[in-house]
Amino acid sequence: MNNILQVKHLIETYKDKNQKFQALDDVSFTIDQGEILALLGPNGAGKTTTVSIIGGYLLPTSGQVILNGQDITTARKRPNIGVSFGGDLGFYRNATAKQNLQFFADLAKVPFRKQKKEIQRVLSIVELDNVANKKVGKFSKGMTQRLHIARSLLNSPSLLLLDEPTSGLDVEIAQSVQKTIKKLADSGISILLTSHTMSEVEKLAKNVVILGAGKVFFTGTVSAVLGLAAKEINQKPKNLEEAYLAIAPKLRRN
Ligand SMILES: Nc1ncnc2c1ncn2[C@@H]1O[C@H](COP(=O)(O)OP(=O)(O)OP(=O)(O)O)[C@@H](O)[C@H]1O
């Protein structure tokens, strides 16, 4: 399989006044084309820091980000990467979905003459084309989340970074967002997903990277995580959630 993304030996040391804090310590992994890779770990493990470095929002203290064979670690623009941090923020509530996407299409440097078609394209992928002219302030959480994904798809990136895309959504709406994510991967887009919902990870991802205290604790398939956890609890865990809970104590910062 083709490695779309290679993350190599990332170290991130935050400096606050005179204090230093090592958020990432030698984080490496790869993502293939059309793969959904889940980045897991407890609060504070370093998931958002990793996503921010790959997305170009943060420079690593050291290490490299290689996309499609090119070193983009210090590149200021990343047209091939779409990022969705989700949440209620990030859109003009008094503007329609279409107007919001026009603003972001300008930022993403989609040529003006192609914007109408591109906005139509991304809205239809997330099935919001029928509410294109509705104000975002009237959107439900699930619709807003799908609009975040639509925004990240402007300019047809080859890699999507989705930070907790279903956080705070009810089960039914979470499922429709998960279907959208699966559909995108099936179309060949590679996806890095962070999530605290293990049933979602089991549904979407084949491979996972588990971070603990800024270090890679485990990289491999979901079924290999079950095998690893079985050694901890001397029985096969029922599912990924049970497996994750079995190894969770090892992921804490000292
Ligand atoms: N700007 C910053 N300055 C100092 N420390 C920071 C900064 N941003 C994050 N940290 C610390 O770095 C560590 C990793 O944070 P990060 O947000 O990457 O974790 P996370 O795995 O995404 O957690 P969560 O699941 O809660 O979103 C945390 O201990 C956090 O407090």
Side-chain angles (χ1 to χ4, degrees), residues 58-218:
L58 184 68
L59 273 177
T61 307
S62 64
Q64 286 177 301
V65 179
I66 315 272
L67 185 70
N68 294 314
Q70 260 195 318
D71 187 339
I72 57 157
T73 316
T74 56
R76 290 179 63 196
K77 289 189 184 135
R78 303 183 181 198
N80 276 320
I81 301 183
V83 187
S84 165
F85 285 106
D88 296 334
L89 304 174
F91 292 115
Y92 295 101
R93 293 173 56 79
N94 282 323
T96 66
K98 208 172 175 176
Q99 287 165 337
N100 268 282
L101 289 179
Q102 262 156 5
F103 172 78
F104 290 111
D106 276 336
L107 282 187
K109 302 261 185 285
V110 178
F112 185 70
R113 66 195 157 78
K114 291 190 179 162
Q115 284 188 5
K116 199 172 160 197
K117 217 171 156 188
E118 179 64 353
I119 289 167
Q120 178 60 37
R121 183 186 76 86
V122 298
L123 281 172
S124 107
I125 293 174
V126 299
E127 293 171 25
L128 287 178
D129 30 358
N130 56 341
V131 287
N133 293 312
K134 192 168 171 159
K135 285 189 178 166
V136 171
K138 299 258 183 278
F139 273 24
S140 68
K141 273 190 176 182
M143 288 160 82
T144 310
Q145 196 54 47
R146 295 214 304 273
L147 191 59
H148 276 290
I149 296 177
R151 178 196 157 179
S152 71
L153 289 169
L154 288 166
N155 238 347
S156 302
S158 50
L159 173 70
L160 280 190
L161 309 176
L162 305 179
D163 200 13
E164 299 189 37
T166 59
S167 147
L169 303 183
D170 72 44
V171 181
E172 202 182 359
I173 302 209
Q175 211 167 59
S176 94
V177 172
Q178 287 157 2
K179 268 191 198 153
T180 304
I181 294 171
K182 184 84 178 59
K183 190 166 79 175
L184 290 168
D186 289 344
S187 78
I189 298 178
S190 307
I191 296 173
L192 178 64
L193 170 87
T194 75
S195 179
H196 289 291
T197 313
M198 296 304 144
S199 57
E200 165 171 293
V201 173
E202 261 181 321
K203 238 184 269 172
L204 293 176
K206 194 176 91 187
N207 293 309
V208 302
V209 172
I210 303 179
L211 295 183
K215 290 188 170 68
V216 174
F217 174 79
F218 175 86

Side-chain angles (χ1 to χ4, degrees), residues 14 16 21 23 42-49 164 196 253:
Y14 289 116
D16 259 348
F21 178 80
N43 291 134
K47 301 178 297 295
T48 303
T49 301
E164 299 189 37
H196 289 291
R253 282 185 198 273

